[in-house]
Every structure is written in C-alpha cells, then in structure tokens.
Amino acid sequence: MNPSPAAAEMVLPDLAVEIRDLNKSYAGRGKRPAKQAVTDFSLEVPRGSFFGLLGPNGAGKSTTINIMAGLVKKTSGTVKIWDCDIDKEERRARCAIGVVPQELNLDPFFTPYELLEVQAGLYGVPKPERRTMEILEVVGLADKANAYARALSGGMRRRLLIAKALVHTPPVVVLDEPTAGVDVELRQHLWRHLRELNARGTTILLTTHYLEEAEALCDRIAIINHGRLVACDTTRALLRRIDNKAVILTLAHPLQDVPAALNGLHTTLSTPTELHINYRPSAGAMQGILDSVRAAGITVADLRTDEVELEDIFLQLTTGSSATAAQ
C-alpha cells in the first residue's frame, strides 16, 4: 500500500510513538476508592518496529492504548503519535493511528466492502483515494467483499477489524489482543498478515496474553505492571536476562541414580533414560558438562537444550510486590 499524499509530505519521525511521564488516575465512586491506572509511564516505539506491550490483567495496557487513541483523557504527561501531540494536534494524531480492538464490533448487516467504505468516510477519505479492495486483498478478504459480516468466520472477522484500521493509511497500527479466542490455524494466518503489514513499513504495537505470539512477532518488547514500565528492550536482549539453560540427555542405558561424578552439577534424573542438567550459558559450562558426563561413563544417545522463553522473563518481572522502572 502506498502512503497518502499527506503522509508522503511529512518528514518521517524516528519514533512512531513517544510517551513521557504518563499518568492516569480514575476518581473513586461510592465505596470504590480512586485508582491509579498508569504511573510515570514512558515509552518509545521506533518507526517501523513490531513492538509488543505486555502485562497482566489490570496492568495499564488498555488505559495506555485508549489514551493514545483519544478515548481516555490522561491525567498528566505527554503522548505523541507520529510526532503529533495528542493534545495540541488532536486531529493529526488520531489520523496517524489505527486501533484494532479486542472486541468484535462489526455491524452484521454490512458487507466488508461497505464497512470499509463507511469507515473511510468517517475519516474523511475522498472516494477517489479510497483503497477498499486493495486493503481487503491485503488481509485476504477480497473474495468476501460482498458477503455479510455475520457470515464470516471468527478469523475473518479479526482480519476485517484490521482492515477497518487501515482505511486511512495510518503509519501506526495498534492491535489489542488480535488473536484472542481464535484457534491455532487462524492465529498463524493472522501472524502472516501482520508480518506482511509490518514489512510494508507500518509500525505495529501489539498487546497480547500469548507470550509465544510476542516472542515470534515482536522485535522489541515492553512489559508494564501495576501501571509502571518494568522492562523495555529488544526481544533477544530480554531473553538473555535469565542466565539459565538446560541440557537434556537421552541415555543409551538406564540409570537408577545420578552418578557421584555429576554431584557438582545441577542434575536431575527425570526418567531412567533422561538426565536434566541446568547450567549458566554465560559461564561457558557446556564443555565441562560433557566432560563430566563422559567421565561418569555415561553413553549419550541424544542431546537437546531447553531454551529460556519470554514467559520466564515475564513471570520474573511481574510477580512480586513492586518493580523498578526500566531505564
């Protein structure tokens, strides 16, 4: 998809989203006390990135997204979308962002073509500049252009929500739990379309509870907990934070107990023919492990490693009382 003439004239910013010292508090009602949803939250989303915003329920993700989209008024701080301040340049900021909500908010009596035409009209896109069929082609719904939305499958409806967010050619697209409730096959299908969208230059900000989704798609990830930023780094750097790995040895001959020669290692015998050894990759311990196994007279039939997953870092950073804000 080609950018609109207005977008082409803009000097491309280094940051697609820039949030500084964002705070949002909700006033108490009745017996319910006031709630601080977001506290001193700062975030930078580089232009062209596939950025993940993770956090447990109630962490402040939806509040932050709604502030970006102009649906919730912030208490303090600054938010810029594509270098447009959401307070000082409200119209331009809203035109720079497309939000894909978690809820399926589609009119069942409209066709995908009609829904995109209406959405384009709401954004003031002139008819000659609308790219309805092109967008439907991008999300794989061109053959369903004239089918009623109520006849679409769950995965197709998700893609139609993405299409609605693209009608005004926003340089930034925010997806709030885009694969919630869809099966594995449909999730993989959506992943492919999101990668293609990002490859075309669109900056994507993704919130998800599927940590494997963030690990597979995102080049950078921020983690928010209790309204505060607790981590923000490249996905690869985050995965390196836990210096722990396991090597699993499948043994040619069963063992009853862990040999004494391996007592100095963090070793467990999960089955008579499977030996787990935990080690720290930064210590370069693999050669020593293999030497110890060989010295113990153990014949190895197979070997595999168990890598650190994003879920390990997520749990480490979001469990416990409070976290220190990331720099």
Side-chain angles (χ1 to χ4, degrees), residues 193-223:
H193 286 294
L194 294 178
R195 287 191 180 102
E196 291 172 356
L197 180 62
N198 180 242
R200 288 183 171 91
T202 301
T203 302
I204 296 180
L205 177 60
L206 170 74
T207 75
T208 179
H209 279 107
Y210 300 112
L211 299 183
E212 73 277 10
E213 183 169 65
E215 190 172 344
L217 294 174
C218 301
D219 47 68
R220 296 186 65 86
I221 289 174
I223 298 177

Side-chain angles (χ1 to χ4, degrees), residues 215-295:
E215 190 172 344
L217 294 174
C218 301
D219 47 68
R220 296 186 65 86
I221 289 174
I223 298 177
I224 184 174
N225 194 32
H226 300 299
R228 294 181 181 273
L229 184 70
V230 296
C232 184
D233 213 330
T234 64
T235 306
R236 181 171 295 183
L238 279 176
L239 290 172
R240 287 199 300 264
R241 285 199 178 192
I242 295 183
D243 190 19
N244 185 37
K245 201 172 182 179
V247 58
I248 298 95
L249 306 177
T250 301
L251 311 180
H253 307 289
L255 294 175
Q256 296 300 318
D257 298 295
V258 176
L262 301 180
N263 286 343
L265 303 175
H266 299 285
T267 308
T268 56
L269 194 63
S270 56
T271 71
T273 58
E274 191 168 271
L275 194 67
H276 286 238
I277 303 175
N278 289 320
Y279 68 99
R280 294 173 54 234
S282 63
M286 178 58 78
Q287 186 58 53
I289 289 172
L290 295 178
D291 291 342
S292 297
V293 169
R294 207 172 291 115

Side-chain angles (χ1 to χ4, degrees), residues 238-239 241-242 308-317:
L238 279 176
L239 290 172
R241 285 199 178 192
I242 295 183
V308 173
E309 294 182 350
L310 183 59
E311 184 171 3
D312 299 318
I313 293 98
F314 181 82
L315 291 174
Q316 184 186 73
L317 292 170

Side-chain angles (χ1 to χ4, degrees), residues 82-125:
W82 209 247
D83 211 24
C84 301
D85 190 291
I86 64 170
D87 294 323
K88 300 175 182 177
E89 303 170 278
E90 183 177 1
R91 185 179 180 86
R92 288 181 61 193
R94 290 195 182 193
C95 287
I97 189 172
V99 179
V100 182
Q102 182 177 346
E103 297 78 14
L104 292 171
N105 57 357
L106 298 171
D107 191 318
F109 298 101
F110 278 65
T111 66
Y113 185 91
E114 292 168 339
L115 283 168
L116 265 60
E117 284 289 304
V118 170
Q119 187 80 354
L122 292 174
Y123 274 94
V125 181

Side-chain angles (χ1 to χ4, degrees), residues 9-23:
E9 294 173 2
M10 294 174 61
V11 176
L12 298 181
D14 293 329
L15 298 177
V17 176
E18 184 179 2
I19 301 174
R20 299 292 181 197
D21 301 319
L22 180 65
N23 286 274

